[in-house]
Every structure is written in C-alpha cells, then in structure tokens.
Amino acid sequence: MMQIGARPGVIVGNCIHDACSHKVNGRSIITSDRIRLVSKQRQLSKQKYRRPARQQKHQTVSAIPVAQSEFDIAAAPILLPKGPWKAIEGSVNAPKGFKAQGMAGGLRASGPKADLALIVADADAVAAGVFTTNVMCAAPVLYCKKVLAKNKPARAVLVNAGQANAATGDAGYEDSVKSAEAVAQALGIDSDQVLIESTGVIGRRIKLQALLDSVPKLVSNLGPSAEDAHHAAVGITTTDLVSKSAAIETEILGKKVRVGGIAKGSGMIHPNMATLLSVITTDANVEPSLWHTILLHGVQKSFNQITVDGDTSTNDTCIGLASGAAGNDLIKHSTSESAQKLEAAVTALLQGLAKSIAWDGEGATCLLEVTALGAPDDRSAAKIAKSIAASSLTKAAIFGHDPNWGRIACAAGYSGVKFNQNNLRVKLGDIALMERGQPLEFDAKAASKYLTDVTSEHGTCKIEVSVGNDHGHAQAWGCDLSYKYVEINAEYTT
C-alpha cells in the first residue's frame, strides 16, 4: 500500500453484544436480533442453491441489497478491541471541529439509497492518506496523491458511490478535479483542500452532472450530529448490508481526545487494502508527519489484515484528518507516551471498522478471526494469519460447517513464513485439533456444531495457530465463502 502525508499551516470488545434490536438517534443498530435477520437473509442462499437437478433454473433476484429509502440501512455491530478508551456516538462527527452529511444524488444505477457523502473540517486540518498498491489505481487516488504531495492543509473529503471512476483515462481524472472544484466553490475554500474518494463499478466515470447538481444541497445540509455522520456512512456504501462507523474517546496529556471514522467494504476485499474506502477524523493536535505515520501503522494492523475474496481494488483509500481542536499540547515525537496513546486509539478504531467490513463480507454468514502466535516477529505472524483468513478452502469449509483443520495447517504452511511443522498447534474455538505437529483426536460433531452455531448467529469463528515459541503475534479477519458471494458478483452489473 502506498501512502502520502500532508502538512497543514458500549465497548463491545471482540464479540457482538447481546441485546434487543433498537434505534439510536433514529437509526437501526445491529444487535443480536438484527444480526439474526441479516444472517437469515444470507442463510437462504444455502437453501436456494441446493436444488435437486442441475438443469433446474433458479429464479433470479437482485443479489445486491436494495434500500427502501435514502438511509434505510442498519449500522454494523461495534467490534472495537478493549483498551483505555470508551466507545461513543458520532463517528466522524464525534471529534471536535467536523461536520458531515450524506444524500442521494442519483448516482446509483437504481434505488433511493444515498450515494454521496461529505466530511468537512471547520478549519485547516492535518491530512494523511493511505492508498491501494494496484497499478490500475483510480482517478480519485491519483488526484488525492497529487493534492497531498503539495503539503497543504485539507478541509473536506467528498465520497461518491455508484461509479469507481477507475480505468477511465484523462476524462475520469478531470471528473475528479471538477468534483473537487464544485465542493471548494460551495465551501469557499481552495480546490486543493478537497480530497476525493469513489467506489462502484470499475470502468465507469462519475455521473458528473448529477454530482455537481447535488453538491450545493450536500453542503447546505452539513451538520455535527451523529445522525448526520450516519447519513455520510450510508452514502459511501455499495453492496454493504450495513454501514460501518465508530468513535472512541481517550485521554492524552490531560485532554479528552476523540477519534471517529466511517468505512465501506463488503467485496473485493484483500490487502492492500480492499475495495475499501474510509475517512478518519480526530481532534488531536498532532505534528503532520507523525499523523501520517500513525495512520499508516494503524492501517497496517487493521485494513491490511482483512480479506474477503483475495481481490485488491483500484480505489482503496483511507484519508485521515486531524483538527487539533482537543487543545492538547502538540504531539510530535513518535516515541512519546502521547504519540503511542494516539496510535493505539487510532489502531483500535481502524480495527473496529476493519472487523465490521469482514463481518459484512459479501454473502458471509460469520466473521472469521485468525490469531497467529509464536512467530519470529509480528510481521511473520501477520503473514500467517492473513494466509489462513484468505484461504478459499478454509472459508468454504467454515460455511459448510466442516472442521477440516488440514486446510488451516496447509494455509499456514504456504504463508511464506518458515517454521518447524512439529511446532504447529491449531485450535478451532476452544477445540484443540493439532498439538506439536501431531493431529489430535477430537469430537468432530462438536466442532461442526461450533461452526453451525457461529454461522447461524452471524457470530465470530475463532481460529488460533501457534508455530513456535517466539513472541511474534498478530490477527487477521475475514469471513466464510458462500454460494451467495458468487451470485452477488456474477450479477454485479446486470
């Protein structure tokens, strides 16, 4: 993944909480009841494709969820790791100095769901970006890299859904420029203070006139509330069944500091990063180059550790804005306690968003969490964990409730990390499958039931592997591989 920095003048833990379906600030929140509804929708894919005769033709229905109104989409479960912070409302609007909004501008092929989002800083903000390594990077990626290289303050991020504006040539790049100019004119700022993100079908340019016509309304409706931020989170989704947003509050140098974010992603998810867009905000007062480093480290431990299908997108972008409005003393040394606290908070926020994306993988019936231990270093552990999370055979076995641990061992073995196979240990949930490289007798029915229970509740399937006695450890996240994934992507443009 490439990266560029710019210079300006209820914690749920690792599992889904158990509560009844409810609304906060007028929007649905994913809880156990809601999870069952989403899971049931996906479980239907198994019934749908288990037909008696190969030649029997199934009735085609839309594989991509269709909202009934502009913001008719539930929020993902909050999957933040535990730490010295607390979960709060507001996502990108939780930190001081930001406003946001989303709206339906007519960019989607069909349906009324919002397809535009705008996040704006009240004053000049420190900006940093992390981008796809795909050589066929999209026009907005090229545009953002060029803008951030000028080392100027940023004020706004505009995101559109519907068209990726990738592989669209010079005309596509000009569309990004014109989009930024429209936002700049409406806000009364310079166009190179506006950053652009796009998502949708590759090879299609933005519906530029629809976007330009929508910008004044989008700007006029900007607001600081959690609901305004939720509108923005919905506006960046594509095949997502849920929106992804979170915010946390911690204390740094005696000041309350907040970090918030929104993200989208459901398919074409694989480091580096995914078909993944994200906007992160903080009110921390942080030196520009350090902010870039913090964002990069956070992405490496979060978005770069998720996989759904092994495809790396043309549009991956994570933009981070820091307003400095928390009033803390300037954080400028990477080795300082304050910098480490900020990096830990940013990483936690990004990991929460990353797990929400994997949880909502296209066609998925569970979140897959792989923990790798005992590796020579953290980087090696990360490679092992990602290799397992990305294994199509492992993912398919989980969907089929098959405790085929050999696929897990195989994926660890081809990760590129050398280890003594006689040190390998494998666990599925609490069930030990292999110890010191030797297969163990285990209750296959109990292991299958574990997978059945996890997928029926759209819960978290936990796999743990250890490859030695060293201190390297890391996690990666993915999801199972279902029939529904094929349907969604076979019918994406039709």
Side-chain angles (χ1 to χ4, degrees):
M1 183 182 311
M2 301 181 67
Q3 53 279 328
I4 298 176
R7 180 184 182 90
V10 177
I11 293 182
V12 185
N14 290 321
C15 59
I16 300 165
H17 63 298
D18 186 14
C20 296
S21 182
H22 64 283
K23 290 188 176 183
V24 175
N25 293 323
R27 64 186 174 94
S28 298
I29 302 296
I30 286 281
T31 56
S32 290
D33 289 345
R34 180 67 179 176
I35 288 166
R36 292 187 187 98
L37 291 175
V38 176
S39 182
K40 184 175 181 180
Q41 178 181 354
R42 286 165 162 163
Q43 290 286 345
L44 290 175
S45 66
K46 292 185 179 182
Q47 300 172 15
K48 177 178 178 181
Y49 281 85
R50 288 176 179 170
R51 51 189 186 268
R54 180 182 294 270
Q55 64 270 24
Q56 181 178 341
K57 189 174 181 180
H58 70 274
Q59 292 184 342
T60 301
V61 296
S62 175
I64 299 175
V66 179
Q68 300 303 310
S69 63
E70 201 168 10
F71 307 110
D72 179 28
I73 180 172
I78 301 172
L79 300 169
L80 296 169
K82 294 180 180 179
W85 43 73
K86 65 177 182 179
I88 57 175
E89 283 284 319
S91 69
V92 288
N93 277 349
K96 296 177 182 177
F98 294 96
K99 295 182 177 67
Q101 192 52 259
M103 65 170 286
L107 278 73
R108 296 188 189 274
S110 62
K113 189 167 72 166
D115 47 28
L116 286 169
L118 181 63
I119 298 90
V120 175
D122 295 339
D124 288 353
V126 177
V130 184
F131 303 97
T132 182
T133 56
N134 193 316
V135 174
M136 288 296 296
C137 57
V141 172
L142 295 171
Y143 170 82
C144 284
K145 288 180 181 179
K146 184 176 181 180
V147 168
L148 289 174
K150 295 179 181 180
N151 294 323
K152 293 185 65 175
R155 287 287 304 277
V157 182
L158 175 70
V159 189
N160 77 274
Q163 301 83 43
N165 199 17
T168 50
D170 294 339
Y173 186 85
E174 285 304 310
D175 289 343
S176 291
V177 172
K178 290 177 182 178
S179 299
E181 289 174 344
V183 173
Q185 182 177 3
L187 290 172
I189 60 177
D190 294 336
S191 61
D192 54 8
Q193 291 184 296
V194 181
L195 299 167
I196 303 292
E197 297 181 2
S198 298
T199 182
V201 181
I202 294 172
R204 295 186 183 176
R205 292 169 57 188
I206 298 170
K207 293 181 179 179
L208 186 61
Q209 194 57 53
L211 183 148
L212 298 179
D213 291 343
S214 300
V215 166
K217 181 179 178 181
L218 193 58
V219 170
S220 66
N221 286 326
L222 284 167
S225 72
E227 188 66 11
D228 295 323
H230 174 64
H231 292 171
V234 174
I236 70 175
T237 60
T238 51
T239 59
D240 310 59
L241 285 179
V242 291
S243 64
K244 291 92 178 178
S245 61
I248 59 176
E249 181 181 273
T250 189
E251 187 172 306
I252 299 176
L253 298 173
K255 299 289 186 179
K256 290 182 178 180
V257 172
R258 294 180 167 189
V259 184
I262 59 174
K264 67 80 53 183
S266 186
M268 199 181 264
I269 303 292
H270 188 69
N272 305 304
M273 287 179 284
T275 235
L276 185 157
L277 301 182
S278 183
V279 180
I280 307 301
T281 61
T282 183
D283 49 19
N285 183 20
V286 57
E287 194 272 332
S289 62
L290 178 57
W291 174 235
H292 167 248
T293 299
I294 287 172
L295 184 68
L296 173 60
H297 288 175
V299 166
Q300 289 173 337
K301 296 176 182 178
S302 58
F303 293 147
N304 273 8
Q305 286 297 106
I306 58 173
T307 179
V308 169
D309 49 20
D311 275 313
T312 301
S313 170
T314 55
N315 289 58
D316 308 339
T317 302
C318 177
I319 297 294
L321 301 179
S323 69
N328 59 284
D329 293 337
L330 181 66
I331 304 172
K332 54 185 178 181
H333 299 297
S334 61
T335 57
S336 66
E337 181 182 358
S338 56
Q340 292 172 3
K341 284 185 175 180
L342 180 59
E343 183 172 318
V346 170
T347 300
L349 188 282
L350 292 172
Q351 286 181 342
L353 293 174
K355 286 190 279 186
S356 292
I357 289 170
W359 182 91
D360 188 36
E362 288 174 343
T365 63
C366 72
L367 171 68
L368 172 60
E369 179 176 272
V370 181
T371 303
L373 305 169
D377 50 54
D378 290 351
R379 180 172 295 184
S380 297
K383 290 180 68 175
I384 293 169
K386 282 194 291 187
S387 182
I388 296 169
S391 166
S392 295
L393 290 176
T394 299
K395 290 150 60 74
I398 292 169
F399 177 69
H401 312 147
D402 179 7
N404 191 339
W405 59 266
R407 295 179 176 183
I408 300 171
C410 178
Y414 63 62
S415 65
V417 177
K418 293 186 180 300
F419 61 88
N420 186 335
Q421 63 176 294
N422 290 325
N423 290 330
L424 183 62
R425 183 178 75 241
V426 179
K427 288 177 63 178
L428 178 64
D430 294 327
I431 303 171
L433 307 176
M434 173 176 267
E435 185 69 40
R436 297 185 181 275
Q438 306 303 311
L440 300 175
E441 295 290 336
F442 69 96
D443 188 337
K445 289 185 178 179
S448 181
K449 185 178 185 301
Y450 168 76
L451 295 174
T452 301
D453 292 344
V454 164
T455 56
S456 66
E457 295 295 327
H458 206 123
T460 301
C461 173
K462 295 186 177 183
I463 293 174
E464 180 183 295
V465 298
S466 178
V467 297
N469 299 313
D470 292 316
H471 299 293
H473 66 280
Q475 288 185 311
W477 299 275
C479 60
D480 57 342
L481 179 60
S482 72
Y483 310 123
K484 193 71 175 179
Y485 174 84
V486 177
E487 180 191 4
I488 290 169
N489 286 282
E491 302 171 2
Y492 193 81
T493 65
T494 56

